[in-house]
Amino acid sequence: RSFVAANLASVLGAKQGIALCDLDLQFSDLSHWGSETEPERTIDHLSAVVGAGEVQQADVKAVAQTRFGNVTLLPGVRSPLEGAAWASDRGVRALRLIGALRRWYEGVNDQR
């Protein structure tokens, strides 16, 4: 899944702005995609604002990393324990984040 999502994002990113959000709460393989270092910020830094339903584009940009041209990558959590908030309430936070991303990016690919 990660391989397909990464390649699809890179192809689409050549033509339009696209966001790739790593919501794989167990492995977060995409967080290291195109980088040799672990990301400093992850979607966990957005947890509070997403939980309150007040996520802004500036919040997303503070966490996002640009990969392979025009792909905006939101790195996933560092461990399954950190992913607990994202998985709670049937994934409401993840759905809110994806909804917000769809307002600002032409293409949104969420890797779950």
Side-chain angles (χ1 to χ4, degrees):
R1 295 179 309 180
S2 296
F3 178 78
V4 172
N7 283 290
L8 181 60
S10 64
V11 168
L12 292 173
K15 298 180 184 199
Q16 63 186 8
I18 188 160
L20 178 58
C21 185
D22 192 351
L23 291 171
D24 185 338
L25 303 178
Q26 289 183 319
F27 302 108
S28 296
D29 294 335
L30 284 175
S31 297
H32 304 286
W33 180 55
S35 176
E36 295 180 13
T37 61
E38 189 168 313
E40 289 181 32
R41 295 179 186 258
T42 70
I43 60 169
D44 238 21
H45 290 88
L46 297 174
S47 185
V49 294
V50 172
E54 299 175 6
V55 64
Q56 301 294 318
Q57 190 173 18
D59 299 322
V60 170
K61 287 184 177 187
V63 172
Q65 301 173 359
T66 302
R67 294 282 200 275
F68 300 106
N70 204 22
V71 177
T72 300
L73 172 67
L74 278 83
V77 296
R78 291 191 176 105
S79 75
L81 292 175
E82 290 178 357
W86 291 94
S88 66
D89 297 327
R90 290 186 248 159
V92 167
R93 287 184 186 185
L95 293 172
R96 284 183 185 161
L97 179 57
I98 295 303
L101 292 173
R102 286 193 170 123
R103 291 192 308 256
W104 305 309
Y105 296 94
E106 295 175 51
V108 176
N109 187 350
D110 61 303
Q111 169 61 29
R112 289 182 237 183

